[in-house]
Amino acid sequence: MSSSRTQPSSSSSTSSVWQLQYMKVHFFTKIRCLLKSKASTRKRNVQASPEKSRNHQDSEKVADLPEAVVSKQPEDENEEVVLQRTVKKLHFGSWEEKKKAAIEIEKLSREDRKTRKLMAELGVIQVLVSMVASNVSGHQRAAVNALIQLSHGTYTNKALMVSAGICSKLPNDVEVLDQSTRHGFTELLLSLSSLTITQLPVASSRILPFLMDTMNSDSTDIKTKEICLATINNLSLVLENAEPLVLSGAVKTLLSLMSAKDLSEKALASLGQLVVTQMGKKAMEECLAVPKDLIEILTWEDKPKCQEYSAYILMVLAHQSWSQREKMAKSGIVPVLLEVSLLGSPLVQKRAVKLLQWFKDERNVRVGPHSGPQTGWASPGIGSPMSPRSGQEGKKMMKNLVKQSLYKNMEMITRRGNVDMESESCRLKSLIISTSSKSLTY
């Protein structure tokens, strides 16, 4: 009986030893493959330069030396030795050695995509992700910066980071992070936000809480907030992310940031993606800043893109919603729309005219046959607010009204310009006459 119990335990210990040996063999095999590829490249360069050949032989000798000897001669180290020692320290070294190895990996990852892929195959990403959960700021910053470089230009490395649990290891308290570490986390999330919905767990991770806390923090700088808004914009492009974004308070945060001109364009772009969803539209309708702040943005002549986004959001909110149109009318949207329809960009002009047409149609429907004699509206067939014919006539009337308003505004502008030009020409003529008369000798 005792022999039967000892047999499984001995077999399990044997399998664990074999597994450890296999990992070591796999690790050093990858390093050997890298050394061979670098050596073959260097051999091709030897034929062109004898001096390069001597340097190549010296570097091969350094690579064959023990690690203790190599560490004594850092000036003679080549790239292969540095990579071998760095990956080894990251896997088996102390915390301080892991930090130095992460900084070295960041430098090596800047070189090419092949190096980044090789490091991922050597299990570097999993160790760096585990370092992110460290409470030491220096270890976090070094690991995050290395992960940012490893994520550049490779879709596989990003997926490996997510599978290693990077989304669940984000800090719970943003205020304890310094600006550099906070900026690094947001830059890494921006890189990961290009993954698909099936690979990036937006709803079940700490991505959205971290982004909201970072944007709502007064100590976060403008550049970091811009990166957060770019990440939110990428996430809002996926329809399945609309619900978790709204539930995390993204609408309220974006509305508070859109009043700042440095951040307004990116915030409005994300709101434009969320307003087309049912939950996003409802959340905006319940905010006190809507539509007053959006109407205010329509007056920003130096921000035409913000005007276009604001007009689009107002169109979606006003569509088939009398209550929202009433709130907009009370906030003074009609004079602003008339001004924008004349002086805005071509796109915002079209949207402003469309909104004015809705307000005019609604006014005609509400007034209907109750405001005195109205030719063409008194008959039962045409006077009904739901009649298609009345709707067509209302549109024509609105178009004529807008044209008349535009013509009147243009006439006023032209008249003012002519008056100014006439007064200027009269003043110039009098000046010329007075000057010429003074210059005459007789």
Side-chain angles (χ1 to χ4, degrees):
M1 193 73 178
S2 60
S3 61
S4 62
R5 289 181 180 178
T6 56
Q7 186 175 359
S9 60
S10 62
S11 62
S12 61
S13 60
T14 305
S15 61
S16 61
V17 171
W18 277 107
Q19 186 177 6
L20 180 61
Q21 293 296 330
Y22 173 77
M23 290 176 60
K24 289 183 178 180
V25 170
H26 180 72
F27 170 75
F28 288 108
T29 301
K30 290 291 184 181
I31 293 293
R32 187 177 181 183
C33 292
L34 176 67
L35 295 176
K36 285 185 176 180
S37 63
K38 295 289 184 179
S40 61
T41 305
R42 193 173 282 108
K43 283 180 181 179
R44 288 193 294 266
N45 297 332
V46 166
Q47 298 176 356
S49 175
E51 184 178 356
K52 289 184 178 180
S53 177
R54 290 193 297 270
N55 294 335
H56 168 65
Q57 293 174 358
D58 295 338
S59 64
E60 283 186 343
K61 291 179 180 178
V62 172
D64 294 335
L65 289 175
E67 185 179 354
V69 178
V70 172
S71 60
K72 293 179 182 179
Q73 300 174 353
E75 64 274 7
D76 296 329
E77 290 178 348
N78 54 21
E79 182 182 345
E80 294 85 348
V81 176
V82 172
L83 179 60
Q84 180 180 2
R85 189 184 70 251
T86 300
V87 177
K88 185 178 178 181
K89 283 185 177 181
L90 185 69
H91 279 281
F92 311 109
S94 61
W95 274 106
E96 195 61 31
E97 290 176 336
K98 288 177 183 290
K99 175 186 173 182
K100 293 180 181 179
I103 296 174
E104 195 65 37
I105 286 174
E106 178 192 357
K107 296 177 182 178
L108 295 173
S109 301
R110 296 177 184 271
E111 296 180 1
D112 56 357
R113 183 181 176 185
K114 189 176 180 180
T115 304
R116 293 192 288 268
K117 276 190 76 175
L118 176 63
M119 288 186 177
E121 293 176 359
L122 294 173
V124 167
I125 291 178
Q126 288 77 5
V127 182
L128 291 173
V129 170
S130 65
M131 290 177 62
V132 171
S134 172
N135 295 326
V136 183
S137 178
H139 296 164
Q140 278 185 334
R141 191 186 310 114
V144 169
N145 292 337
L147 288 172
I148 291 172
Q149 295 301 325
L150 288 171
S151 66
H152 288 168
T154 164
Y155 189 87
T156 306
N157 287 5
K158 296 177 185 179
L160 287 174
M161 294 176 195
V162 175
S163 62
I166 184 65
C167 300
S168 61
K169 289 181 172 58
L170 297 174
N172 295 321
D173 189 4
V174 177
E175 299 299 334
V176 299
L177 302 177
D178 56 76
Q179 288 295 334
S180 177
T181 307
R182 197 179 304 186
H183 182 85
F185 272 111
T186 55
E187 192 173 350
L188 179 60
L189 289 178
L190 176 60
S191 179
L192 297 178
S193 63
S194 61
L195 293 173
T196 60
I197 182 64
T198 56
Q199 293 178 313
L200 193 63
V202 177
S204 60
S205 65
R206 279 202 43 79
I207 295 177
L208 294 179
F210 178 81
L211 291 174
M212 297 305 145
D213 293 342
T214 304
M215 289 189 291
N216 291 326
S217 176
D218 296 332
S219 59
T220 304
D221 56 15
I222 296 295
K223 190 173 181 180
T224 304
K225 288 185 178 181
E226 286 180 351
I227 297 176
C228 291
L229 288 173
T231 307
I232 293 293
N233 192 23
N234 288 347
L235 297 177
S236 64
L237 294 174
V238 182
L239 188 61
E240 290 80 358
N241 292 335
E243 183 176 356
L245 280 169
V246 174
L247 294 177
S248 64
V251 172
K252 185 178 179 181
T253 302
L254 293 172
L255 288 173
S256 64
L257 293 177
M258 75 178 184
S259 57
K261 287 194 174 183
D262 295 334
L263 305 172
S264 57
E265 186 173 333
K266 290 184 174 63
L268 288 167
S270 300
L271 287 172
Q273 299 292 339
L274 294 175
V275 74
V276 296
T277 63
Q278 186 176 0
M279 290 189 65
K281 183 178 180 182
K282 185 178 179 181
M284 289 187 202
E285 290 174 349
E286 294 174 353
C287 290
L288 298 177
V290 177
K292 186 177 179 180
D293 290 354
L294 292 170
I295 297 173
E296 176 67 24
I297 293 174
L298 285 177
T299 62
W300 294 357
E301 297 179 0
D302 57 333
K303 293 282 186 177
K305 202 70 178 177
C306 294
Q307 287 181 319
E308 294 172 3
Y309 284 135
S310 179
Y312 174 75
I313 296 171
L314 289 169
M315 283 181 65
V316 178
L317 292 173
H319 182 62
Q320 295 181 350
S321 177
W322 282 14
S323 61
Q324 287 299 312
R325 294 181 192 180
E326 188 176 0
K327 287 173 63 177
M328 294 176 189
K330 290 180 180 179
S331 301
I333 192 175
V334 175
V336 177
L337 290 175
L338 286 172
E339 181 180 354
V340 170
S341 64
L342 179 66
L343 303 175
S345 64
L347 182 56
V348 77
Q349 283 181 0
K350 292 180 181 179
R351 292 173 178 174
V353 169
K354 187 66 176 177
L355 281 167
L356 286 171
Q357 180 178 340
W358 288 351
F359 282 104
K360 181 61 180 177
D361 291 345
E362 184 176 345
R363 181 174 176 275
N364 289 337
V365 169
R366 288 187 175 183
V367 174
H370 300 288
S371 60
Q374 297 183 6
T375 308
W377 290 77
S379 61
I382 302 177
S384 174
M386 300 303 294
S387 172
R389 188 175 175 184
S390 65
Q392 293 295 330
E393 290 190 1
K395 291 180 181 180
K396 290 181 181 179
M397 291 178 62
M398 186 61 205
K399 288 182 179 179
N400 293 331
L401 178 64
V402 173
K403 287 181 180 179
Q404 291 175 6
S405 176
L406 293 175
Y407 289 151
K408 288 181 181 180
N409 290 333
M410 289 298 295
E411 287 176 2
M412 290 177 62
I413 294 173
T414 307
R415 194 182 303 113
R416 289 176 184 174
N418 291 336
V419 170
D420 294 339
M421 289 179 64
E422 289 177 0
S423 61
E424 184 69 22
S425 60
C426 292
R427 190 178 68 83
L428 186 61
K429 286 180 181 179
S430 61
L431 182 62
I432 293 173
I433 292 173
S434 62
T435 305
S436 60
S437 61
K438 289 180 182 178
S439 62
L440 291 176
T441 58
Y442 54 90

